[in-house]
Amino acid sequence: MQPVAHLVKVSLPNYLTNLPVPDSFGGWFRLGFRDWLALVPPTAALAGFTYVTYRAFCPHGRPQPSGTVNQKILKDNPKVVDTIDIEDISEKAVFCRCWKTKNWPYCDGSHGAHNKETGDNVGPLVVKKK
């Protein structure tokens, strides 16, 4: 623990006080090559710290699209086609349009999580019998 305390209390403050940071905006233009070179390590450390902090609090952002809509339903078929007779519908049927349902072709509400995750606004197809 002693080396860490020495680094934080003595070495780092001495290093930072010796950096050629100008007092005015015009002072930046008067820095020499060695001065700019001395500013590279702390700038890189600050940029790295900023990036790691950003990744820790914003790890994913928006998910990247995979290129395919259907991720899991009847993947062995060249084309997914379902036929439902209107006579088989009692009062109404709710069909999935997001391809996330576990009850294909009927909607199970999976589009809610999909919309929240991706910012999309997809919803089901509702067919009513008059």
Side-chain angles (χ1 to χ4, degrees):
M1 203 62 189
Q2 193 69 350
V4 174
H6 184 269
L7 175 73
V8 172
K9 292 179 179 179
V10 178
S11 299
L12 195 57
N14 287 343
Y15 173 73
L16 293 175
T17 57
N18 291 329
L19 285 177
V21 179
D23 294 333
S24 67
F25 182 74
W28 290 103
F29 297 106
R30 291 188 290 278
L31 290 178
F33 179 75
R34 286 184 181 253
D35 296 331
W36 282 106
L37 204 55
L39 291 172
V40 169
T43 304
L46 181 62
F49 177 75
T50 303
Y51 177 74
V52 168
T53 303
Y54 169 77
R55 293 296 291 175
F57 292 106
C58 305
H60 303 295
R62 278 196 170 187
Q64 297 297 318
S66 66
T68 59
V69 175
N70 181 6
Q71 300 288 321
K72 60 187 175 199
I73 298 167
L74 302 173
K75 293 303 283 182
D76 54 326
N77 292 350
K79 187 190 295 187
V80 178
V81 177
D82 289 296
T83 304
I84 297 172
D85 292 327
I86 296 291
E87 291 80 23
D88 294 340
I89 299 174
S90 58
E91 186 177 316
K92 74 175 182 177
V94 183
F95 297 100
C96 176
R97 293 193 305 173
C98 72
W99 293 89
K100 306 291 182 195
T101 186
K102 292 174 181 55
N103 187 26
W104 184 259
Y106 300 102
C107 177
D108 66 358
S110 298
H111 59 273
H114 165 78
N115 289 346
K116 188 179 230 182
E117 184 178 304
T118 62
D120 203 353
N121 65 348
V122 71
L125 168 68
V126 179
V127 177
K128 292 182 180 181
K129 189 174 184 182
K130 285 190 173 187

